[in-house]
């Protein structure tokens, strides 16, 4: 059974058909690329998968359970985490607080034990402090734990956003153009990090990226969108030579 | 960690002892007593408003209305108890009345918070503004219970410095511990970025309503204290201008800083009294000070900084280490 399966997923915004008949199946620990020109509907697909919008038709199955139309935080609790195209960090908080905030759902002490600081509070807080530091050290950011997230350099902010998404302990991670605005060497570093995450945490990753050449290198499978429709899907080599993909990217 | 608690408890008790001593020595008189009680009430209002406005990031324009709900609920209750056969009086009666007042305000908070906070955006500002006006009209309408425009008289005078001081301490303690738990982190995350908070697995609607309700609860407690300090209530006291005054205190102290809210509440409650000698220029000086403050410290007195005993130790240590290094060179 695939980890995530979307069948016939589509959405209308008023009269505008933003996405139609979107089909995807992601196996556990698979790295899938979602590409397409500007305005093709890639981020819309992400927003549907994570519950920001409810699809007007179709089903989304996460481990066999339909999650279409559920609230974003419920979907996150069920195992899908995401990052955003325009970075959305908690800029006023320190790096480690950003990560700890995302640990919220797998802590269980109640409001009263929080206020009265019962033993459970200390135990769980100590545990997530350790967990957050470990997660940051994967990204070589443990020494930046107390820095204000808004003061981090751009590349580090992107990495912190990924770390925060991982802190929710997802089974599937959705990365929305993580390389946007990065220079070639930063991009290469990021791609290495993505590979590392997949191996180390054993999770599946769905990656949106503009740069075809880049995703070709790391993705096992790709889905190409144009004008809200899937125009091709398959292995990178197949995609590279697909005439419809070439047309969408280069024009006739 | 235990040491920090002991030091903080020590400081709190010392301040209490000093003020009590000053009363006994006659340096502080009855006029000062009233002023200090007003300071206590404003501190509770400021820190509770800071929870919804500063930490949750919701613009609340009707905090005084929640105070009014709590004040009338607590006052009507204690008036009834005092007139009945139930032998409850003094501070125990006050505490029960305050909890009741707080709960009444919290229920009001849930009623207006649920529809407004389910949406993203500044609806809560408009709704709380309207709520403030509605509460005043309702108080005037239900004359038989609230005394209407003539005011509610004959409330037992139960608030004194001893109980007010410790109610302030408990309020601040509860709110600080709430904010420093996972629940508080969830609320701050909503202020920072609501969409990201939701995507990080936090139920933003739940925490917005929770924070708003807790804030309303403590506004109700402050209202109860106020009612049992003045021994009479007048709906005009809880108008829009008082809500704005409270918002000014919180913004001036620093949105998201309990220390700032407390300092600003003390300063801005005492300032009009200190400026009494300027007579008609009083409000002018007050306004100029506010404007100057916003120009020179736009993030408020404290920003989001919190005072802590250990924080000061740490800073001294860092300076000392730097000094030593310079000496060694």
């Amino acid at each position: 059974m695939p980890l995530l399966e979307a069948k016939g997923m589509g959405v209308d915004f008023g009269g505008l058909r933003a996405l139609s008949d979107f089909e995807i199946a992601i196996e556990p620990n698979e790295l899938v690329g979602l590409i397409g020109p500007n305005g093709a509907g890639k981020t819309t697909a992400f927003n549907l998968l994570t519950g920001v919008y409810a699809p007007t038709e179709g089903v989304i199955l996460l481990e066999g359970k339909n999650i279409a139309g559920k609230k974003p935080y419920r979907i996150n609790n069920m195992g899908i985490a995401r990052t955003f195209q325009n970075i959305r960090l908690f800029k006023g908080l320190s790096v480690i607080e950003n990560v700890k905030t995302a640990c919220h759902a797998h802590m269980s002490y109640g409001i009263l034990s929080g206020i009265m600081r019962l033993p459970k509070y200390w135990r769980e807080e100590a545990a997530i402090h350790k967990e957050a530091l470990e997660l940051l050290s994967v990204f070589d950011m443990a020494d930046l734990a107390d820095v204000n997230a808004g003061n981090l350099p751009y590349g580090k902010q992107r990495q912190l956003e990924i770390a925060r998404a991982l802190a929710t302990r997802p089974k599937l991670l959705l990365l929305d153009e993580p390389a946007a605005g990065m220079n070639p060497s930063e991009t290469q570093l990021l791609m290495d990090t993505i590979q590392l995450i997949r191996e180390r945490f054993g999770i599946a990753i769905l990656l949106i990226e503009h740069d075809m050449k880049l995703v070709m290198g790391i993705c096992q499978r790709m889905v190409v969108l144009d004008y809200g429709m899937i125009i091709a899907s398959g292995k990178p080599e197949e995609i590279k030579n697909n005439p419809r993909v070439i047309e969408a990217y280069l024009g006739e | 960690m235990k040491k920090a608690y002991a030091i903080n408890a020590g400081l709190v008790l010392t301040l209490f002892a000093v003020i009590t001593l000053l009363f006994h020595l006659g340096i502080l008189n009855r006029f000062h007593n009233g002023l200090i009680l007003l300071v206590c009430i404003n501190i509770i209002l400021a820190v509770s408003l800071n929870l919804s406005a500063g930490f949750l990031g919701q613009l609340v324009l009707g905090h005084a209305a929640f105070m009014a709900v709590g004040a009338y609920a607590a006052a009507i209750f204690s008036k009834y108890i005092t007139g009945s056969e139930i032998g409850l009086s003094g501070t125990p009666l006050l505490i029960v009345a305050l909890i009741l007042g707080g709960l009444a305000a919290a229920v009001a908070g849930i009623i207006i918070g649920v529809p407004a906070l389910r949406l993203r955006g500044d609806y809560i500002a408009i709704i709380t503004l309207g709520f403030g006006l509605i509460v005043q009209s309702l108080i005037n309408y239900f004359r038989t219970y609230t005394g209407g425009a003539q005011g509610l008289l004959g409330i037992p005078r139960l608030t004194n410095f001893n109980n007010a001081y410790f109610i302030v301490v408990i309020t601040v303690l509860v709110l600080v511990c709430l904010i420093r738990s996972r629940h508080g982190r969830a609320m701050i995350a909503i202020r920072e970025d609501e969409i990201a908070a939701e995507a990080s697995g936090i139920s933003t609607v739940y925490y917005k309503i929770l924070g708003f309700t807790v804030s309303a609860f403590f506004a109700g407690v402050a209202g109860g204290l106020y009612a049992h300090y003045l021994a009479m209530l007048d709906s005009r006291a809880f108008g829009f201008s008082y809500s704005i005054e409270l918002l000014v205190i919180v913004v001036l102290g620093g949105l998201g800083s309990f220390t700032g809210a407390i300092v600003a509440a003390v300063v801005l409650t005492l300032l009009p009294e200190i400026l009494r000698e300027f007579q008609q220029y009083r409000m002018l000086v007050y306004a100029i000070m506010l404007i100057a403050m916003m120009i020179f410290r736009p993030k408020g007195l404290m920003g989001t900084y919190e005072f802590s005993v250990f924080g000061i130790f740490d800073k001294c240590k860092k300076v000392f280490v730097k000094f030593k290094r310079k000496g060694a060179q």
Side-chain angles (χ1 to χ4, degrees):
Chain A
M1 187 175 65
L3 177 67
L4 180 89
E5 198 175 7
K7 288 182 201 158
M9 184 173 84
V11 67
D12 296 316
F13 296 121
L16 180 76
R17 189 126 188 89
L19 194 71
S20 53
D21 216 16
F22 184 84
E23 307 261 340
I24 200 168
I26 302 169
E27 298 295 328
N29 205 15
E30 196 180 19
L31 208 170
V32 181
L34 180 61
I35 63 168
N38 276 331
K42 304 183 296 288
T43 300
T44 303
F46 262 36
N47 284 340
L48 290 177
L49 292 176
T50 54
V52 176
Y53 306 132
T56 36
E57 66 222 33
V59 288
I60 307 163
L61 301 173
L62 180 69
E63 296 180 313
K65 273 176 270 174
N66 191 8
I67 58 166
K70 280 207 158 69
K71 293 205 160 223
Y73 82 94
R74 303 277 305 164
I75 293 178
N76 178 277
N77 294 348
M78 290 172 80
I80 301 182
R82 71 172 293 180
T83 64
F84 294 88
Q85 194 170 352
N86 43 339
I87 306 176
R88 285 183 177 275
L89 286 173
F90 307 130
K91 287 206 169 81
L93 304 183
S94 68
V95 167
I96 195 159
E97 282 295 321
N98 267 272
V99 178
K100 279 182 177 178
T101 302
C103 294
H104 179 82
H106 46 258
M107 296 167 85
S108 64
Y109 68 80
I111 294 163
L112 274 183
S113 26
I115 290 171
M116 288 153 69
R117 302 204 159 170
L118 299 178
K120 199 172 180 193
Y121 164 86
W122 293 108
R123 206 166 48 235
E124 288 193 356
E125 286 291 327
I128 65 146
H129 186 78
K130 207 173 134 224
E131 189 182 327
L133 276 179
E134 275 169 13
L135 198 56
L136 285 175
S137 62
V138 173
F139 293 88
D140 281 327
M141 287 174 77
D143 51 334
L144 296 172
D146 295 323
V147 177
N148 216 322
N151 296 339
L152 287 177
Y154 185 78
K156 286 282 173 201
Q157 291 199 5
R158 284 262 175 224
Q159 290 193 327
L160 176 58
E161 210 191 10
I162 298 175
R164 187 184 66 189
L166 286 172
T168 65
R169 296 187 192 158
K171 296 170 190 134
L172 170 66
L173 179 62
L174 308 186
L175 300 174
D176 196 347
E177 292 201 33
M182 286 188 169
N183 63 36
S185 69
E186 278 178 328
T187 307
Q188 193 47 51
L189 197 73
L190 181 80
M191 292 302 146
D192 294 342
T193 317
I194 291 172
Q195 281 288 21
L196 176 88
I197 292 166
R198 191 172 74 89
E199 283 157 24
R200 184 159 170 168
F201 295 90
I203 58 173
I205 295 174
L206 178 62
L207 175 72
I208 288 184
E209 192 42 71
H210 252 343
D211 192 339
M212 285 259 283
K213 217 167 65 194
L214 221 150
V215 251
M216 293 268 175
I218 61 167
C219 290
Q220 292 154 322
R221 242 159 17 85
M222 293 169 69
V223 174
V224 189
L225 271 180
D226 194 21
Y227 293 110
M229 309 259 258
I230 293 178
I231 56 168
S233 69
K235 294 211 160 59
E237 310 85 67
E238 298 163 17
I239 298 293
K240 211 184 316 186
N241 301 318
N242 187 313
R244 289 191 67 187
V245 178
I246 296 169
E247 190 192 315
Y249 265 83
L250 301 174
E252 281 181 86
Chain B
M1 206 67 234
K2 287 236 168 76
K3 225 156 109 193
Y5 285 134
I7 293 173
N8 285 332
L11 283 176
V12 165
L13 289 175
T14 312
L15 181 63
F16 178 71
V18 167
I19 295 175
T20 312
L21 191 71
L22 289 177
F23 274 123
H24 277 294
L25 293 177
I27 296 168
L28 294 176
N29 55 30
R30 281 195 60 186
F31 167 71
H32 294 129
N33 182 40
L35 216 51
I36 288 172
L37 289 181
L38 266 185
V39 167
C40 286
I41 290 162
N42 276 344
I43 288 175
I44 298 177
L45 287 166
V47 291
S48 60
L49 181 59
N50 206 357
L51 181 69
S52 51
F55 289 98
L56 207 56
Q58 305 295 322
L59 187 57
V60 176
L61 296 177
H63 207 55
F66 292 114
M67 181 190 179
V69 172
Y72 276 93
I76 291 168
F77 171 76
S78 66
K79 250 185 96 169
Y80 171 77
I81 292 291
T82 314
S84 75
E85 303 287 295
I86 303 165
L88 200 63
S89 65
T91 302
L93 174 60
L94 179 69
I95 288 168
V96 177
L98 291 187
I99 290 172
L100 249 141
L103 288 177
V107 168
I110 291 174
I111 290 171
I112 70 158
V114 167
L117 294 170
R118 287 165 62 90
L119 305 168
R120 207 166 279 151
D122 288 332
Y123 301 96
I124 195 73
I126 309 299
I127 291 194
T128 48
L129 180 67
F131 176 68
L133 301 173
I134 290 169
V135 164
Q136 275 190 307
S137 333
L138 284 182
I139 290 169
N140 288 334
Y141 181 76
F142 289 107
R143 237 175 266 127
T144 36
Y145 305 101
T146 62
Q150 281 136 23
L152 185 65
L153 305 173
I155 306 162
R157 222 179 263 274
L158 301 172
T159 305
N160 55 41
F161 174 68
N162 295 344
N163 53 35
Y165 184 85
F166 286 102
I167 288 163
V168 170
V169 171
I170 291 168
T171 303
V172 173
L173 206 64
V174 166
L175 290 178
V176 168
C177 288
L178 176 67
I179 275 304
R180 298 212 174 146
S181 71
R182 75 183 179 111
H183 309 288
R185 264 201 296 270
M187 290 178 202
I188 296 172
I190 293 169
R191 173 192 73 194
E192 292 289 320
D193 192 321
E194 198 168 334
I195 293 170
E198 181 94 16
S200 302
I202 292 163
S203 171
T204 52
V205 172
Y206 173 77
Y207 278 104
K208 276 199 287 186
I209 294 172
L210 176 75
F212 186 67
T213 306
V214 172
S215 166
F217 175 86
F218 284 107
V221 170
L225 269 183
Y226 179 81
H228 293 93
Y229 148 65
L230 273 189
M232 63 148 299
L233 287 175
D234 180 354
S235 67
R236 274 163 296 191
F238 306 105
F240 180 59
S241 63
Y242 194 31
S243 293
I244 293 299
E245 209 175 297
L246 292 171
L247 207 58
V248 166
I249 290 177
V250 172
V251 172
L252 215 66
L255 285 165
S257 164
F258 285 120
T259 318
I262 294 170
V263 172
V266 174
V267 171
L268 288 189
T269 313
L270 297 181
L271 203 60
E273 298 304 325
I274 295 165
L275 292 178
R276 211 165 265 276
E277 48 188 306
F278 293 96
Q279 286 165 16
Q280 68 262 52
Y281 301 112
R282 194 166 74 158
M283 285 324 282
L284 193 67
V285 175
Y286 184 78
I288 288 171
M289 287 179 82
L290 290 186
I291 294 167
M293 184 68 205
M294 284 291 99
I295 290 171
F296 295 112
R297 297 219 56 154
K299 283 198 157 175
L301 211 57
M302 293 291 193
T304 52
Y305 175 79
E306 296 286 5
F307 169 82
S308 88
V309 179
F310 270 72
I312 288 173
F313 276 157
D314 275 354
K315 254 199 195 129
C316 293
K317 229 192 246 165
K318 264 181 207 155
V319 171
F320 183 70
V321 168
K322 229 188 218 168
F323 214 70
K324 236 166 97 180
R325 244 186 241 148
K326 259 191 193 155
Q329 270 171 8

